[in-house]
């Protein structure tokens, strides 16, 4: 498949995405942890509650675990995510000597930055790649459930491909300069047309690329 042509066709259907890079890498990391396996609405609500409940990251790291879990109870796996949040904040503080910033990752090459993030237990490839692409503009491609579904239906990966393998395959396949926009476009297409249940296949992108049962 011509990936750049797919990219152009998605732009034709959905429009070119605006760049919305986050200003705070730590906030991006914590929000992405909250987003694991839940809807955007749940993530938004939990994020609002989390950042309203604590005056700073130090208070968040040292908060009572059960209290923190209750604050983010809008999302699933709240106890595990509370642990991941506090573990991530501790790792950042220890790395920087007391500050809560991910600025040090900017000086690393992409692979080293990915390794640093994924060495935090509970931070996987998707979370790391979102942070690195959305905050640092590093050439990474994050694979969520929408993208994994579309990549399979479009023949970019095999059905048997695991999530980690999908990250590796797609990061090699997709040119660096379109990784951000293609990520956003595929998610948009997955939500608007190529959904998991009852997909709407009456659009030129699905007609050209999709091999799902409905098409």
């Amino acid at each position: 498949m011509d990936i750049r042509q797919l990219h152009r066709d998605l732009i034709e259907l959905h429009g070119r995405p605006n760049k919305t890079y986050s200003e705070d890498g730590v906030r991006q990391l914590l929000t992405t942890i909250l987003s694991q396996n839940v809807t955007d609405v749940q993530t938004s609500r939990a994020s609002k509650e989390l950042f309203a409940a604590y005056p700073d990251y130090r208070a968040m790291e040292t908060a009572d675990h059960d209290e923190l879990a209750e604050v983010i109870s809008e999302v699933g796996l709240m106890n595990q995510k509370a642990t991941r949040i506090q573990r991530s904040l501790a790792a950042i503080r220890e790395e920087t000597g007391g500050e809560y910033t991910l600025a040090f990752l900017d000086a690393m090459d992409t692979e080293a930055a990915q390794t640093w993030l994924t060495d935090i237990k509970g931070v996987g490839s998707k979370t790391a790649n979102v942070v690195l692409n959305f905050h640092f503009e590093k050439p990474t491609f994050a694979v969520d459930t929408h993208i994994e579904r579309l990549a399979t239906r479009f023949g970019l990966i095999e059905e048997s491909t695991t999530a980690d393998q999908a990250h590796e395959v797609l990061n090699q396949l997709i040119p660096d300069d379109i990784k951000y926009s293609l990520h956003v476009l595929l998610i948009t297409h997955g939500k608007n047309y190529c959904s998991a249940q009852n997909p709407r296949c009456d659009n030129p992108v699905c007609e050209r690329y999709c091999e799902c049962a409905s098409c």
Side-chain angles (χ1 to χ4, degrees), residues 146-166:
H146 293 291
I147 291 177
E148 190 170 357
R149 180 175 67 253
L150 267 64
T152 301
R153 290 177 175 178
F154 290 4
L156 300 175
I157 58 174
E158 301 291 334
E159 287 190 19
S160 59
T161 304
T162 66
D164 284 341
Q165 289 171 338

Side-chain angles (χ1 to χ4, degrees), residues 16-37:
R16 186 178 295 276
N18 294 321
K19 289 188 176 182
T20 54
Y21 293 108
S22 62
E23 294 183 0
D24 182 343
V26 177
R27 187 183 182 103
Q28 179 72 67
L29 173 59
L30 303 188
T31 301
T32 309
I33 289 171
L34 290 176
S35 75
Q36 295 167 350
N37 303 308

Side-chain angles (χ1 to χ4, degrees), residues 56-99:
D56 53 39
Y57 292 127
R58 178 65 179 175
M60 198 180 294
E61 183 197 345
T62 59
D64 177 78
H65 176 273
D66 291 342
E67 173 196 277
L68 176 58
E70 185 60 32
V71 168
I72 61 171
S73 60
E74 179 70 30
V75 298
L77 303 174
M78 62 185 192
N79 288 307
Q80 292 93 322
K81 290 179 181 179
T83 299
R84 291 169 190 171
I85 286 170
Q86 293 184 316
R87 185 185 290 135
S88 297
L89 290 170
I92 293 166
R93 175 179 49 76
E94 290 166 6
E95 179 70 26
T96 62
E99 295 184 62

Side-chain angles (χ1 to χ4, degrees), residues 110-135:
T110 301
E111 186 175 350
Q114 287 171 322
T115 298
W116 191 91
L117 286 167
T118 54
D119 277 347
I120 302 171
K121 187 177 179 182
V123 174
S125 297
K126 174 207 163 185
T127 300
N129 286 345
V130 166
V131 172
L132 295 175
N133 189 251
F134 280 56
H135 181 65

